[in-house]
Structures are given as C-alpha cells and as structure tokens.
Amino acid sequence: SLSESGEEPLGIAAAPVKNRAGTRSIIRTVCLEESPMARLPVRSIAVTSALCAVVLVLGFTRTGFIPWGAGVSITFMHVPVILAAILEGPIAGLVVGAVFGIQSLIQAAISPTTPLDPVFTHPLISILPRLFIGPVTALVFSLLRGRGKNVILQLIGTLFAAIAGTLTNTSLVLTAFFLFAREAVAAFMPNLRAVGTLIVANAVPEAIVAVIFSLAVFASWKGIAFGIARSKLSYDEETD
C-alpha cells in the first residue's frame, strides 16, 4: 500500500535494485571469476599468448621438430610450455601445453613427415601428455626456488624444472604409445632396449635445449645476469 505522501515505502522500492545488483554479481562470478584465464593478470595473458604463438610458428613451419633415422622426431616444442610454466605458473603452462598438443594433432593429420607421425592423430597421444608438462614444471620450480628472491635457488629451480618438463613430455608420450597405439609403434620400439635408446636419443638433447633456453630467458626476464636490464613486463610481479 502507498504511504500518506503517495510514495512507495522505501523497502519496496529498494528491493528490485538490490535484486538486480545481486543478479549482476552472480553473472560476473559465473562468467568471469570462475574462468582460469580471468584470474591471470594482463602480463600473464600477454606472455601466454606470445608463447602460444611461438608454438604455432615452430609447429607449422616444422622448425620445432628435427626428424632422425629411427622414424621419430626430436622436438623443441615443449620449450615454450616450460617457459610459460616457469614465468607465469601452471595455468599458463597448461594453456600453452594444450596448444602444443592440438598443433601436433593437426600437423600429424595434414602433413606427416615421419612414419610415426600418424600415431599423433590420436588425441590421447598428441594432446593429453602435453597437458601435464606445464603443471609438473611449475611444481618443480616452485619447490626448488624457495620462498625468497635468492638468485641461485631460482636458477637451480629453473634448471631442474626444465629437465622435469622435458622428461614429462617424453615419458608420457611413450606411455601413451604403448597404451593406445602398441601395434603402430611396434616396428620402432620392439623391445625395452629400443625404448631405452629412444628415450636417451630424444630426452637428452631435448632436455639440454630446454635448460639452455629456460635459463637464458629466465635470466633475461629477471635481469639477474651480468646486470642486464630486466624485462618491462616482469616489473608487474612486484605489484601482484
């Protein structure tokens, strides 16, 4: 009912406004705040996007793969995934790893270059193992870098994180071979000795390249080598 002045009581008039504000808050929470990418700062989104672009360029130009005589390729495509995880954390590493896997699947389907490439048209071989590279790398780095800003610990963390990311990629892809494409890979890996040879031949050079690039990029990013200027984007970490 109306008051003596002819106006609606304050409680009745304010209720729709309050409800509308609550509805907008719920929509914002569901659509934005629950999205993993929405939690990333602008710097992280920029770095992740750039590294995704690097993956696509390396993949579609084939410069990220080096075929060798055993019918497989040594790849450096995991390096941007490792860098994303070290610089920006597990979510960034997961995103770049997903792009790596999807690109591998597409490339294997439209333009295979080695006898083993068609196996990577299986998403559980090309995509699933690559999703773990970033989180494992980020975990190892966070465990070894320490809580402070000790430069030596950060470099040690970067070194072992790069190795861990490389071994994660190699070991999980080989595991996926045996789980989902045993017959297709039997000619290339007929016994454990062949598997061991493949691991050494692939993982060692891939790990070396990953360590070199990771240390170089991390040092440049943080400005901890020879007093070089730190990357401008990395200054955002001071306010995160």
Side-chain angles (χ1 to χ4, degrees), residues 82 86 133 136-138 140-141 144 156-166:
I82 291 171
I86 291 174
I133 301 174
V136 171
T137 300
V140 173
F141 179 69
L144 296 179
I156 291 175
T158 301
L159 187 152
F160 283 100
I163 294 174
T166 301

Side-chain angles (χ1 to χ4, degrees), residues 54-149:
V54 171
V55 167
L56 295 176
V57 171
L58 290 176
F60 288 117
T61 61
R62 301 301 294 177
T63 54
F65 298 89
I66 301 178
W68 62 287
V72 295
S73 297
I74 296 174
T75 180
F76 307 128
M77 295 278 289
H78 61 296
V79 174
V81 185
I82 291 171
L83 291 174
I86 291 174
L87 297 177
E88 301 301 336
I91 295 178
L94 180 69
V95 171
V96 181
V99 173
F100 172 21
I102 294 170
Q103 191 283 326
S104 297
L105 186 150
I106 295 173
Q107 189 72 35
I110 65 176
S111 182
T113 58
T114 71
L116 200 57
D117 278 0
V119 176
F120 285 92
T121 56
H122 196 310
L124 295 181
I125 296 175
S126 58
I127 299 177
L128 183 61
R130 276 63 188 264
L131 298 179
F132 291 91
I133 301 174
V136 171
T137 300
L139 175 62
V140 173
F141 179 69
S142 64
L143 290 175
L144 296 179
R145 68 175 294 185
R147 294 184 179 274
K149 296 183 179 181

Side-chain angles (χ1 to χ4, degrees), residues 11-81:
I12 296 176
V17 176
K18 182 178 181 180
N19 290 339
R20 287 197 298 270
T23 301
R24 286 196 297 268
S25 177
I26 293 173
I27 293 175
R28 189 184 307 112
T29 300
V30 172
C31 296
L32 297 177
E33 293 180 3
E34 291 186 359
S35 169
M37 290 301 292
R39 297 192 186 100
L40 296 178
V42 174
R43 184 200 68 247
S44 294
I45 295 175
V47 172
T48 303
S49 300
L51 290 171
C52 285
V54 171
V55 167
L56 295 176
V57 171
L58 290 176
F60 288 117
T61 61
R62 301 301 294 177
T63 54
F65 298 89
I66 301 178
W68 62 287
V72 295
S73 297
I74 296 174
T75 180
F76 307 128
M77 295 278 289
H78 61 296
V79 174
V81 185

Side-chain angles (χ1 to χ4, degrees), residues 95-237:
V95 171
V96 181
V99 173
F100 172 21
I102 294 170
Q103 191 283 326
S104 297
L105 186 150
I106 295 173
Q107 189 72 35
I110 65 176
S111 182
T113 58
T114 71
L116 200 57
D117 278 0
V119 176
F120 285 92
T121 56
H122 196 310
L124 295 181
I125 296 175
S126 58
I127 299 177
L128 183 61
R130 276 63 188 264
L131 298 179
F132 291 91
I133 301 174
V136 171
T137 300
L139 175 62
V140 173
F141 179 69
S142 64
L143 290 175
L144 296 179
R145 68 175 294 185
R147 294 184 179 274
K149 296 183 179 181
N150 187 293
V151 171
I152 301 300
L153 287 179
Q154 289 183 350
L155 292 177
I156 291 175
T158 301
L159 187 152
F160 283 100
I163 294 174
T166 301
L167 294 179
T168 298
N169 179 53
T170 301
S171 61
L172 291 185
V173 168
L174 288 177
T175 301
F177 280 167
F178 285 101
L179 290 177
F180 308 113
R182 184 186 297 270
E183 295 181 359
V185 302
F188 304 97
M189 292 173 283
N191 50 53
L192 291 178
R193 182 177 179 180
V195 174
T197 301
L198 185 64
I199 292 175
V200 173
N202 273 53
V204 172
E206 290 175 0
I208 292 173
V209 171
V211 167
I212 292 173
F213 274 91
S214 298
L215 287 175
V217 172
F218 184 78
S220 176
W221 184 260
K222 298 295 185 179
I224 58 179
F226 309 110
I228 59 178
R230 185 167 56 171
S231 168
K232 182 178 179 180
L233 283 174
S234 70
Y235 279 104
D236 293 342
E237 291 186 357

